[in-house]
Amino acid sequence: MVKIMTQLMTEDGIRCDGRRLDELRNISIKVGVLKNADGSAYIEFGKNKILAGVFGPRDVHPKHMANPDSGILRCRYHMSPFSVTERKNPAPSRREIEISKVIKEALQPAVILKDYPRTVIDVFIEVLQADGGSRCAALDAAAVALADAGIPMRDLVSACAAGKVADRIVLDVNNEEDQEGQADMPVALMPNMGNITLLQLDGILKPEEFKTCMQTALVGCKRVYEVQRKALMEKYFQNGEQ
Ligand code: ADP
């Protein structure tokens, strides 16, 4: 099969989807979309389409997983078979198991679990369409769904990736850039407290590039936070204002 390489960037820094180096894809978030969940959110992050549902606090099954001193958080990130161009096996892949783990670890510092001993808060994430950066978009929806469920939180969690494409540092890596670029670095931030709760790097960056990439991702996280905040305001304050 002949693989046609996409031109990732023009000379003047315009990316394959028409964005500038520091431009996010369009993001929209809708809160409270699932009637059976305690909290939920639907996010469109570029072409990513992801649903997050939160259930709990509720009894833990199996019981031996319960913690008598605190609630526990469980996360499942799942890609639907039709979410990518070739059918994805619906059974959980190593990648989905890894992403479920990092999403849980990225959310956990923000969630106050000590008031809910012996219970679990389940976060289910269904990726309906994936287009690069789905773990960040999933985290963004999950954090909003937790807030929608009324779970006490220290802060929201806002995630966005930055990366290196055609030797330039770019914000919010899309699928082509992820596949053919030089580095992809997803970052999650508790935007008001300043804690970084997720940092992964696929690729190689020089120390200076790493610093720029981190600053770029953090700017992206703060912009994502504004969208998350607005989405929650829209549901809980009729005119969307405080
Ligand atoms: P992320 O979605 O967080 O960037 P990866 O870097 O692992 O995670 O994946 C990048 C992109 O590759 C995904 O968003 C998706 O578009 C695509 N992808 C992931 N898994 C598959 C798969 N099994 N088949 C086809 N495409 C996939």
Side-chain angles (χ1 to χ4, degrees), residues 25 28-30 33-34 40-53 76-80 83 95 99 103 123-142 145:
R25 288 173 284 185
S28 71
I29 301 175
K30 198 162 173 7
V33 289
L34 300 174
S40 58
Y42 171 66
I43 189 166
E44 291 190 1
F45 198 125
K47 293 181 194 152
N48 290 292
K49 298 186 178 191
I50 301 173
L51 259 177
R76 191 192 76 154
Y77 163 104
H78 181 250
M79 280 174 99
S80 70
S83 62
R95 175 180 169 276
I99 295 181
I103 288 180
V123 180
F124 292 102
I125 293 161
E126 286 295 324
V127 178
L128 308 176
Q129 187 168 287
D131 191 44
S134 68
R135 78 193 63 201
C136 290
L139 245 171
D140 296 329

Short mmCIF file of all heavy atoms in Angstrom, two decimals, residues 25 28-30 33-34 40-53 76-80 83 95 99 103 123-142 145:
data_model
loop_
_atom_site.label_atom_id
_atom_site.label_comp_id
_atom_site.label_asym_id
_atom_site.label_seq_id
_atom_site.Cartn_x
_atom_site.Cartn_y
_atom_site.Cartn_z
N ARG A 25 -8.10 23.59 18.37
CA ARG A 25 -9.27 23.24 17.54
C ARG A 25 -10.52 23.80 18.22
O ARG A 25 -10.46 24.17 19.40
CB ARG A 25 -9.37 21.71 17.41
CG ARG A 25 -8.29 21.13 16.52
CD ARG A 25 -8.27 19.63 16.54
NE ARG A 25 -7.68 19.11 17.77
CZ ARG A 25 -7.46 17.82 18.01
NH1 ARG A 25 -7.78 16.91 17.12
NH2 ARG A 25 -6.90 17.43 19.15
N SER A 28 -16.47 22.40 22.00
CA SER A 28 -17.77 22.70 22.61
C SER A 28 -18.09 21.60 23.62
O SER A 28 -17.76 20.43 23.40
CB SER A 28 -18.86 22.84 21.55
OG SER A 28 -19.15 21.59 21.01
N ILE A 29 -18.69 22.03 24.72
CA ILE A 29 -19.02 21.08 25.80
C ILE A 29 -20.47 21.29 26.19
O ILE A 29 -20.91 22.43 26.37
CB ILE A 29 -18.12 21.32 27.05
CG1 ILE A 29 -16.64 21.16 26.69
CG2 ILE A 29 -18.50 20.36 28.19
CD1 ILE A 29 -15.67 21.48 27.82
N LYS A 30 -21.20 20.17 26.31
CA LYS A 30 -22.59 20.24 26.79
C LYS A 30 -22.67 19.42 28.08
O LYS A 30 -22.18 18.29 28.13
CB LYS A 30 -23.52 19.67 25.72
CG LYS A 30 -24.95 20.11 25.92
CD LYS A 30 -25.75 19.90 24.65
CE LYS A 30 -27.22 20.13 24.75
NZ LYS A 30 -27.84 20.64 25.89
N VAL A 33 -26.03 15.52 29.75
CA VAL A 33 -26.65 14.96 28.54
C VAL A 33 -27.22 13.55 28.76
O VAL A 33 -27.94 13.05 27.89
CB VAL A 33 -25.62 14.92 27.37
CG1 VAL A 33 -25.33 16.31 26.88
CG2 VAL A 33 -24.34 14.21 27.78
N LEU A 34 -26.89 12.90 29.88
CA LEU A 34 -27.35 11.52 30.11
C LEU A 34 -28.30 11.49 31.30
O LEU A 34 -27.90 11.83 32.42
CB LEU A 34 -26.16 10.58 30.40
CG LEU A 34 -25.10 10.46 29.31
CD1 LEU A 34 -23.93 9.61 29.82
CD2 LEU A 34 -25.70 9.84 28.06
N SER A 40 -22.86 14.22 33.74
CA SER A 40 -22.41 13.82 32.41
C SER A 40 -21.99 15.04 31.60
O SER A 40 -22.36 16.17 31.90
CB SER A 40 -23.51 13.05 31.68
OG SER A 40 -24.66 13.84 31.58
N ALA A 41 -21.21 14.77 30.57
CA ALA A 41 -20.81 15.83 29.65
C ALA A 41 -20.48 15.23 28.30
O ALA A 41 -20.01 14.08 28.21
CB ALA A 41 -19.60 16.58 30.20
N TYR A 42 -20.75 16.01 27.26
CA TYR A 42 -20.40 15.62 25.89
C TYR A 42 -19.46 16.69 25.35
O TYR A 42 -19.76 17.88 25.44
CB TYR A 42 -21.67 15.54 25.03
CG TYR A 42 -21.40 15.35 23.55
CD1 TYR A 42 -20.83 14.18 23.08
CD2 TYR A 42 -21.71 16.36 22.64
CE1 TYR A 42 -20.57 14.02 21.71
CE2 TYR A 42 -21.46 16.20 21.28
CZ TYR A 42 -20.88 15.03 20.83
OH TYR A 42 -20.61 14.86 19.49
N ILE A 43 -18.32 16.24 24.83
CA ILE A 43 -17.36 17.21 24.30
C ILE A 43 -17.10 16.96 22.82
O ILE A 43 -17.02 15.80 22.38
CB ILE A 43 -16.03 17.18 25.11
CG1 ILE A 43 -15.11 18.34 24.71
CG2 ILE A 43 -15.29 15.86 24.95
CD1 ILE A 43 -13.95 18.58 25.66
N GLU A 44 -17.00 18.04 22.06
CA GLU A 44 -16.45 17.97 20.71
C GLU A 44 -15.19 18.80 20.75
O GLU A 44 -15.24 19.99 21.09
CB GLU A 44 -17.44 18.49 19.67
CG GLU A 44 -18.63 17.56 19.52
CD GLU A 44 -19.54 17.89 18.34
OE1 GLU A 44 -19.25 18.85 17.60
OE2 GLU A 44 -20.55 17.18 18.17
N PHE A 45 -14.08 18.15 20.48
CA PHE A 45 -12.77 18.81 20.54
C PHE A 45 -12.17 18.58 19.17
O PHE A 45 -11.64 17.51 18.89
CB PHE A 45 -11.94 18.15 21.65
CG PHE A 45 -10.77 18.93 22.15
CD1 PHE A 45 -10.63 19.23 23.51
CD2 PHE A 45 -9.79 19.37 21.28
CE1 PHE A 45 -9.55 19.95 23.99
CE2 PHE A 45 -8.70 20.09 21.75
CZ PHE A 45 -8.58 20.38 23.10
N GLY A 46 -12.31 19.56 18.26
CA GLY A 46 -12.01 19.28 16.86
C GLY A 46 -12.95 18.18 16.40
O GLY A 46 -14.16 18.25 16.65
N LYS A 47 -12.40 17.13 15.80
CA LYS A 47 -13.26 16.03 15.34
C LYS A 47 -13.44 14.94 16.40
O LYS A 47 -14.09 13.92 16.14
CB LYS A 47 -12.68 15.43 14.06
CG LYS A 47 -12.75 16.39 12.88
CD LYS A 47 -12.20 15.75 11.62
CE LYS A 47 -11.94 16.78 10.55
NZ LYS A 47 -10.86 16.38 9.65
N ASN A 48 -12.83 15.09 17.57
CA ASN A 48 -13.09 14.14 18.66
C ASN A 48 -14.51 14.35 19.17
O ASN A 48 -14.93 15.50 19.38
CB ASN A 48 -12.14 14.38 19.84
CG ASN A 48 -10.72 14.00 19.52
OD1 ASN A 48 -10.41 12.82 19.35
ND2 ASN A 48 -9.85 14.99 19.41
N LYS A 49 -15.25 13.25 19.37
CA LYS A 49 -16.60 13.33 19.95
C LYS A 49 -16.66 12.33 21.09
O LYS A 49 -16.52 11.12 20.85
CB LYS A 49 -17.66 13.00 18.90
CG LYS A 49 -17.63 13.99 17.75
CD LYS A 49 -18.76 13.78 16.77
CE LYS A 49 -18.67 14.86 15.70
NZ LYS A 49 -19.83 14.91 14.85
N ILE A 50 -16.82 12.83 22.30
CA ILE A 50 -16.65 11.98 23.48
C ILE A 50 -17.73 12.26 24.52
O ILE A 50 -18.05 13.42 24.80
CB ILE A 50 -15.24 12.22 24.09
CG1 ILE A 50 -14.16 11.92 23.04
CG2 ILE A 50 -15.03 11.39 25.35
CD1 ILE A 50 -12.75 12.27 23.43
N LEU A 51 -18.25 11.17 25.09
CA LEU A 51 -19.25 11.27 26.16
C LEU A 51 -18.63 10.80 27.47
O LEU A 51 -17.92 9.79 27.48
CB LEU A 51 -20.37 10.27 25.86
CG LEU A 51 -21.67 10.74 25.26
CD1 LEU A 51 -22.56 9.52 25.01
CD2 LEU A 51 -22.38 11.73 26.16
N ALA A 52 -18.93 11.51 28.55
CA ALA A 52 -18.47 11.06 29.87
C ALA A 52 -19.67 11.00 30.81
O ALA A 52 -20.47 11.93 30.86
CB ALA A 52 -17.41 12.01 30.42
N GLY A 53 -19.79 9.88 31.52
CA GLY A 53 -20.87 9.72 32.49
C GLY A 53 -20.28 9.37 33.85
O GLY A 53 -19.38 8.54 33.94
N ARG A 76 -13.08 4.35 33.23
CA ARG A 76 -12.96 3.49 32.05
C ARG A 76 -13.04 4.34 30.80
O ARG A 76 -14.07 4.99 30.53
CB ARG A 76 -14.07 2.43 32.02
CG ARG A 76 -13.79 1.39 30.95
CD ARG A 76 -14.97 0.51 30.70
NE ARG A 76 -15.98 1.20 29.89
CZ ARG A 76 -16.86 0.59 29.11
NH1 ARG A 76 -16.88 -0.73 29.05
NH2 ARG A 76 -17.75 1.27 28.42
N TYR A 77 -11.94 4.36 30.04
CA TYR A 77 -11.89 5.03 28.74
C TYR A 77 -12.11 3.94 27.70
O TYR A 77 -11.37 2.96 27.69
CB TYR A 77 -10.53 5.70 28.60
CG TYR A 77 -10.13 6.10 27.19
CD1 TYR A 77 -10.19 7.44 26.78
CD2 TYR A 77 -9.63 5.17 26.28
CE1 TYR A 77 -9.79 7.82 25.50
CE2 TYR A 77 -9.24 5.55 25.01
CZ TYR A 77 -9.32 6.87 24.62
OH TYR A 77 -8.92 7.24 23.36
N HIS A 78 -13.11 4.11 26.85
CA HIS A 78 -13.40 3.09 25.85
C HIS A 78 -13.64 3.72 24.49
O HIS A 78 -14.38 4.71 24.38
CB HIS A 78 -14.63 2.28 26.27
CG HIS A 78 -14.98 1.20 25.31
ND1 HIS A 78 -16.10 1.24 24.51
CD2 HIS A 78 -14.33 0.06 24.97
CE1 HIS A 78 -16.13 0.15 23.74
NE2 HIS A 78 -15.06 -0.57 24.00
N MET A 79 -13.01 3.15 23.46
CA MET A 79 -13.24 3.65 22.10
C MET A 79 -14.27 2.76 21.43
O MET A 79 -14.10 1.53 21.41
CB MET A 79 -11.95 3.58 21.29
CG MET A 79 -11.00 4.71 21.56
SD MET A 79 -9.50 4.38 20.68
CE MET A 79 -9.74 5.39 19.28
N SER A 80 -15.30 3.36 20.87
CA SER A 80 -16.31 2.54 20.20
C SER A 80 -15.69 1.97 18.91
O SER A 80 -14.76 2.56 18.35
CB SER A 80 -17.54 3.37 19.90
OG SER A 80 -17.23 4.29 18.90
N SER A 83 -15.15 4.42 16.08
CA SER A 83 -14.56 5.73 16.40
C SER A 83 -13.33 6.07 15.57
O SER A 83 -12.89 7.21 15.55
CB SER A 83 -14.19 5.78 17.88
OG SER A 83 -13.21 4.79 18.14
N ARG A 95 -3.80 0.05 25.14
CA ARG A 95 -3.84 1.52 25.09
C ARG A 95 -5.01 2.07 25.93
O ARG A 95 -4.85 3.02 26.68
CB ARG A 95 -3.96 1.96 23.63
CG ARG A 95 -4.12 3.44 23.45
CD ARG A 95 -4.24 3.82 21.98
NE ARG A 95 -4.65 5.21 21.86
CZ ARG A 95 -5.91 5.62 21.92
NH1 ARG A 95 -6.90 4.75 22.07
NH2 ARG A 95 -6.20 6.90 21.82
N ILE A 99 -4.80 4.45 29.15
CA ILE A 99 -5.45 5.77 29.18
C ILE A 99 -6.44 5.85 30.35
O ILE A 99 -6.53 6.87 31.03
CB ILE A 99 -6.11 6.10 27.82
CG1 ILE A 99 -5.00 6.23 26.76
CG2 ILE A 99 -6.94 7.38 27.89
CD1 ILE A 99 -5.48 6.57 25.36
N ILE A 103 -6.02 8.75 33.14
CA ILE A 103 -7.14 9.69 33.37
C ILE A 103 -7.54 9.65 34.84
O ILE A 103 -7.74 10.68 35.48
CB ILE A 103 -8.33 9.37 32.44
CG1 ILE A 103 -7.97 9.77 31.00
CG2 ILE A 103 -9.60 10.08 32.89
CD1 ILE A 103 -9.05 9.51 29.97
N VAL A 123 -16.36 6.67 36.56
CA VAL A 123 -16.35 7.59 35.41
C VAL A 123 -16.23 6.74 34.15
O VAL A 123 -15.24 6.03 33.97
CB VAL A 123 -15.15 8.56 35.49
CG1 VAL A 123 -15.16 9.51 34.29
CG2 VAL A 123 -15.16 9.34 36.80
N PHE A 124 -17.28 6.77 33.34
CA PHE A 124 -17.27 6.02 32.07
C PHE A 124 -17.08 7.00 30.92
O PHE A 124 -17.82 7.99 30.82
CB PHE A 124 -18.58 5.25 31.89
CG PHE A 124 -18.74 4.13 32.87
CD1 PHE A 124 -19.57 4.28 33.98
CD2 PHE A 124 -18.05 2.94 32.71
CE1 PHE A 124 -19.71 3.25 34.90
CE2 PHE A 124 -18.19 1.89 33.63
CZ PHE A 124 -19.02 2.06 34.72
N ILE A 125 -16.12 6.71 30.08
CA ILE A 125 -15.82 7.59 28.95
C ILE A 125 -15.98 6.78 27.66
O ILE A 125 -15.36 5.72 27.52
CB ILE A 125 -14.39 8.13 29.06
CG1 ILE A 125 -14.27 9.07 30.27
CG2 ILE A 125 -13.97 8.83 27.78
CD1 ILE A 125 -12.86 9.29 30.73
N GLU A 126 -16.83 7.25 26.78
CA GLU A 126 -17.04 6.58 25.49
C GLU A 126 -16.59 7.50 24.37
O GLU A 126 -17.14 8.59 24.19
CB GLU A 126 -18.53 6.25 25.28
CG GLU A 126 -19.04 5.10 26.12
CD GLU A 126 -18.39 3.76 25.78
OE1 GLU A 126 -18.10 3.51 24.59
OE2 GLU A 126 -18.17 2.96 26.72
N VAL A 127 -15.58 7.05 23.64
CA VAL A 127 -15.09 7.84 22.51
C VAL A 127 -15.91 7.41 21.29
O VAL A 127 -15.85 6.27 20.85
CB VAL A 127 -13.59 7.60 22.28
CG1 VAL A 127 -13.09 8.38 21.07
CG2 VAL A 127 -12.80 7.96 23.53
N LEU A 128 -16.71 8.34 20.77
CA LEU A 128 -17.55 8.04 19.60
C LEU A 128 -16.78 8.29 18.31
O LEU A 128 -17.02 7.65 17.29
CB LEU A 128 -18.81 8.91 19.63
CG LEU A 128 -19.60 8.88 20.94
CD1 LEU A 128 -20.77 9.84 20.87
CD2 LEU A 128 -20.10 7.46 21.22
N GLN A 129 -15.88 9.25 18.37
CA GLN A 129 -15.04 9.57 17.21
C GLN A 129 -13.71 10.09 17.75
O GLN A 129 -13.72 10.95 18.63
CB GLN A 129 -15.74 10.63 16.35
CG GLN A 129 -15.06 10.92 15.04
CD GLN A 129 -15.96 11.74 14.14
OE1 GLN A 129 -16.94 11.24 13.58
NE2 GLN A 129 -15.65 13.01 13.99
N ALA A 130 -12.61 9.53 17.24
CA ALA A 130 -11.28 9.93 17.74
C ALA A 130 -10.50 10.59 16.63
O ALA A 130 -10.55 10.16 15.48
CB ALA A 130 -10.52 8.71 18.25
N ASP A 131 -9.77 11.65 17.00
CA ASP A 131 -8.97 12.33 15.97
C ASP A 131 -7.71 12.95 16.57
O ASP A 131 -7.38 14.09 16.29
CB ASP A 131 -9.82 13.42 15.29
CG ASP A 131 -9.12 13.95 14.05
OD1 ASP A 131 -8.60 13.14 13.28
OD2 ASP A 131 -9.08 15.18 13.88
N GLY A 132 -7.03 12.21 17.45
CA GLY A 132 -5.82 12.74 18.07
C GLY A 132 -6.17 13.60 19.26
O GLY A 132 -7.05 14.45 19.17
N GLY A 133 -5.50 13.35 20.39
CA GLY A 133 -5.79 14.14 21.59
C GLY A 133 -7.03 13.69 22.32
O GLY A 133 -7.62 14.45 23.09
N SER A 134 -7.43 12.43 22.11
CA SER A 134 -8.69 12.00 22.73
C SER A 134 -8.57 11.85 24.25
O SER A 134 -9.55 12.03 24.96
CB SER A 134 -9.20 10.71 22.09
OG SER A 134 -8.35 9.65 22.40
N ARG A 135 -7.34 11.53 24.75
CA ARG A 135 -7.25 11.39 26.23
C ARG A 135 -7.46 12.75 26.90
O ARG A 135 -8.07 12.83 27.95
CB ARG A 135 -5.94 10.73 26.64
CG ARG A 135 -4.70 11.61 26.62
CD ARG A 135 -3.45 10.83 26.73
NE ARG A 135 -3.30 9.93 25.59
CZ ARG A 135 -2.54 8.85 25.57
NH1 ARG A 135 -1.84 8.53 26.63
NH2 ARG A 135 -2.45 8.11 24.50
N CYS A 136 -6.95 13.82 26.27
CA CYS A 136 -7.13 15.16 26.86
C CYS A 136 -8.60 15.56 26.79
O CYS A 136 -9.17 16.04 27.78
CB CYS A 136 -6.27 16.18 26.12
SG CYS A 136 -4.52 15.96 26.44
N ALA A 137 -9.21 15.35 25.64
CA ALA A 137 -10.62 15.72 25.49
C ALA A 137 -11.48 14.90 26.45
O ALA A 137 -12.43 15.42 27.05
CB ALA A 137 -11.05 15.50 24.04
N ALA A 138 -11.13 13.62 26.62
CA ALA A 138 -11.88 12.75 27.53
C ALA A 138 -11.77 13.26 28.97
O ALA A 138 -12.76 13.30 29.71
CB ALA A 138 -11.35 11.32 27.43
N LEU A 139 -10.56 13.66 29.34
CA LEU A 139 -10.34 14.20 30.69
C LEU A 139 -11.15 15.48 30.90
O LEU A 139 -11.75 15.67 31.96
CB LEU A 139 -8.86 14.57 30.80
CG LEU A 139 -8.01 13.81 31.77
CD1 LEU A 139 -6.55 14.14 31.59
CD2 LEU A 139 -8.45 14.05 33.19
N ASP A 140 -11.18 16.32 29.87
CA ASP A 140 -11.92 17.58 29.98
C ASP A 140 -13.41 17.32 30.21
O ASP A 140 -14.04 17.95 31.05
CB ASP A 140 -11.73 18.41 28.71
CG ASP A 140 -10.26 18.83 28.52
OD1 ASP A 140 -9.57 19.01 29.53
OD2 ASP A 140 -9.83 18.95 27.36
N ALA A 141 -13.94 16.33 29.49
CA ALA A 141 -15.36 15.99 29.66
C ALA A 141 -15.58 15.33 31.01
O ALA A 141 -16.58 15.62 31.70
CB ALA A 141 -15.81 15.06 28.53
N ALA A 142 -14.68 14.46 31.42
CA ALA A 142 -14.85 13.74 32.70
C ALA A 142 -14.83 14.70 33.88
O ALA A 142 -15.63 14.56 34.82
CB ALA A 142 -13.74 12.69 32.85
N ALA A 145 -18.11 16.37 33.99
CA ALA A 145 -19.16 15.42 34.42
C ALA A 145 -19.09 15.20 35.94
O ALA A 145 -20.14 15.06 36.60
CB ALA A 145 -18.99 14.10 33.67
#
